[in-house]
Amino acid sequence: MFKWVHTQTVRKGPRVPMTPVGTLVLNVDVYVPRDVKLVRCKREARISNEPSAGPWCMQLHDHLIVCKGKLMETFDSEGVWLGELPKAYWPPRNLVFAALLTETGEQPDGSLSHYDDTHLVTLVVQEDGQILGFGHRKPIRGAVDLSAIRFCTNMGLNLVDNVSIHVCDVHSDDVEGRIVVLQGSLHSKKFLRASADPVAQITADCRPAMNSMRFITAGGTLGGYHLLEVTLESSKPGVGKDGSVMWRDARWTNDSIHLSGLIFEGVGGRSRDFGPVNPEMATYILRNFQQLLIKNFGSIDAAWDQVFDEDGSGVCDLQEFKLGCKKCHYLAAPDRVWAVLDQDGSGSISVEELKHGIDEGGHVGSSRVLSMRQRAATPLFPNA
């Protein structure tokens, strides 16, 4: 358990505000089915002397990778090489994690550790499987818990900025549940106080099973960390009851946020693979959505300007799209329409993609209407 001392924001309660965070260390055994694959990292030296704490990487799902164990090392601002993952377990891009380090033995400056002092360090897993560790200006030696490294090897679905969301349904004799993983980074932001606006909004079928979970993630600046909270309901009126990632505090006022390391049990229906959409069903979904926009706003262009591209950037990501769907009172699942619109997997759509199939007069093209029986028999996601 790490006690976060608030710096930018003040928490109500104790005179010295602290927030306990227990998610830096993952109880991997909870999620391990019997057929899990265990592979030792390419690092036999410098490991902890605890027999059961050797460095391991595990494949808990077709694409969910989790590390386990501890490594003894000295961390500083120059960085240190910790190990290499097997090639099959390499991430799709460089990922940055916050990890928990416990001081052990004599420190580089000659002082002795009390064996209960904990610190935050940064772990970087490169796309070639190399694991690097970074501390602060003052070198510190201790055992770092590798369970801070949790990621998916597939591309997932773009959520906001450079953040992707991944859903893993685990079914075995020992485990039955859904695991949701976020990875990637948000653009640089300036934080002066806790805001009611979520930094990321989670789709309904990926919402967390618990009302609140606190996480510490790495920032884009060395020594910068952020306190985040995954909540079941946003505190901002009108956003809805989907899951939200809220910013609570940080070491720096201006920094980017890495959401890698956020993992939680989710609720919802069967996981979707976000793969190719059945063309016939896709046409039906898109036409119905376009008709709703024209009815409410008069044209697709007006809907785009008023609810989907309010910042005038010319593109709309998943988070903006979900908020726009709420504003135009679209009651069906927004991720279904998103899967139809963003078939290239770019993570954003343009007004041209939203107007696909609209003629010069602004009318929705005709499509064959499926009966209810035909709709039920037509899979929306063939790979699911």
Side-chain angles (χ1 to χ4, degrees):
M1 183 71 68
F2 182 83
K3 294 183 179 179
W4 175 276
V5 180
H6 286 248
T7 54
Q8 305 299 331
T9 61
V10 178
R11 183 190 175 200
K12 296 180 180 179
R15 181 175 299 178
V16 180
M18 292 185 181
T19 297
V21 180
T23 52
L24 287 167
V25 177
L26 180 66
N27 184 10
V28 180
D29 295 335
V30 174
Y31 299 105
V32 178
R34 292 177 181 174
D35 58 349
V36 70
K37 298 179 181 179
L38 301 179
V39 179
R40 187 177 293 273
C41 296
K42 292 182 179 179
R43 184 72 167 183
E44 296 296 333
R46 304 181 185 176
I47 66 173
S48 168
N49 56 6
E50 299 177 29
S52 61
W56 298 83
C57 55
M58 299 180 286
Q59 183 176 351
L60 304 187
H61 188 266
D62 290 342
H63 49 259
L64 175 58
I65 307 299
V66 176
C67 290
K68 181 181 180 180
K70 298 180 180 180
L71 281 174
M72 285 289 300
E73 191 54 86
T74 300
F75 291 80
D76 56 26
S77 59
E78 298 296 324
V80 59
W81 182 82
L82 299 177
E84 178 183 356
L85 297 175
K87 188 171 183 178
Y89 297 172
W90 291 0
R93 50 183 165 159
N94 294 347
L95 300 175
V96 182
F97 304 86
L100 184 67
L101 179 138
T102 303
E103 287 189 21
T104 305
E106 184 176 353
Q107 295 301 303
D109 61 2
S111 63
L112 293 177
S113 169
H114 297 288
Y115 290 92
D116 57 357
D117 292 338
T118 56
H119 303 269
L120 295 174
V121 294
T122 300
L123 301 182
V124 179
V125 181
Q126 298 179 337
E127 56 185 356
D128 61 356
Q130 305 297 320
I131 304 176
L132 307 177
F134 294 87
H136 309 300
R137 295 190 180 122
K138 180 182 177 180
I140 184 170
R141 181 172 178 79
V144 61
D145 197 305
L146 294 183
S147 66
I149 300 176
R150 332 84 188 243
F151 63 89
C152 289
T153 56
N154 66 340
M155 296 304 296
L157 178 69
N158 186 270
L159 187 64
V160 58
D161 295 344
N162 298 320
V163 177
S164 56
I165 185 170
H166 308 254
V167 181
C168 306
D169 285 331
V170 180
H171 304 284
S172 70
D173 295 337
D174 301 324
V175 179
E176 184 75 19
R178 164 166 296 183
I179 302 175
V180 180
V181 180
L182 301 184
Q183 59 194 52
S185 62
L186 296 170
H187 295 161
S188 181
K189 299 178 183 293
K190 187 172 184 178
F191 300 94
L192 296 177
R193 61 182 178 83
S195 172
D197 296 318
V199 296
Q201 191 174 0
I202 303 169
T203 54
D205 56 349
C206 300
R207 64 186 185 274
M210 298 179 62
N211 289 332
S212 174
M213 291 184 68
R214 299 185 185 95
F215 292 87
I216 295 175
T217 64
T221 305
L222 187 63
Y225 299 96
H226 296 263
L227 176 65
L228 304 177
E229 183 178 9
V230 176
T231 63
L232 184 57
E233 182 176 358
S234 173
S235 58
K236 182 180 179 181
V239 171
K241 296 184 179 181
D242 296 343
S244 299
V245 181
M246 311 297 296
W247 179 88
R248 297 307 186 198
D249 196 28
R251 296 285 177 86
W252 305 107
T253 58
N254 195 343
D255 196 10
S256 59
I257 306 176
H258 291 272
L259 297 191
S260 301
L262 268 64
I263 181 171
F264 53 87
E265 294 184 29
V267 296
R270 185 165 177 254
S271 173
R272 294 168 185 163
D273 200 10
F274 304 116
V277 182
N278 181 285
E280 189 175 65
M281 195 64 175
T283 301
Y284 174 81
I285 292 172
L286 182 58
R287 295 295 179 262
N288 276 358
F289 185 67
Q290 290 171 334
Q291 288 173 354
L292 173 68
L293 297 182
I294 293 175
K295 178 181 178 181
N296 290 345
F297 298 93
S299 68
I300 301 295
D301 288 307
W304 175 264
D305 293 334
Q306 294 180 39
V307 298
F308 294 115
D309 187 31
E310 293 182 297
D311 59 359
S313 63
V315 294
C316 173
D317 59 29
L318 177 58
Q319 182 168 330
E320 292 174 312
F321 183 75
K322 285 186 58 191
L323 292 174
C325 287
K326 291 180 182 295
K327 293 177 182 178
C328 65
H329 306 292
Y330 182 66
L331 302 180
D335 57 311
R336 289 191 173 191
V337 185
W338 182 265
V340 174
L341 294 170
D342 187 34
Q343 294 196 37
D344 60 357
S346 64
S348 63
I349 61 172
S350 63
V351 66
E352 287 75 20
E353 290 175 290
L354 189 60
K355 293 168 62 176
H356 179 74
I358 303 293
D359 60 25
E360 294 182 358
H363 301 97
V364 177
S366 61
S367 62
R368 185 172 65 87
V369 179
L370 303 177
S371 66
M372 291 301 294
R373 180 176 298 180
Q374 287 174 316
R375 294 179 204 169
T378 303
L380 178 62
F381 298 89
N383 296 335

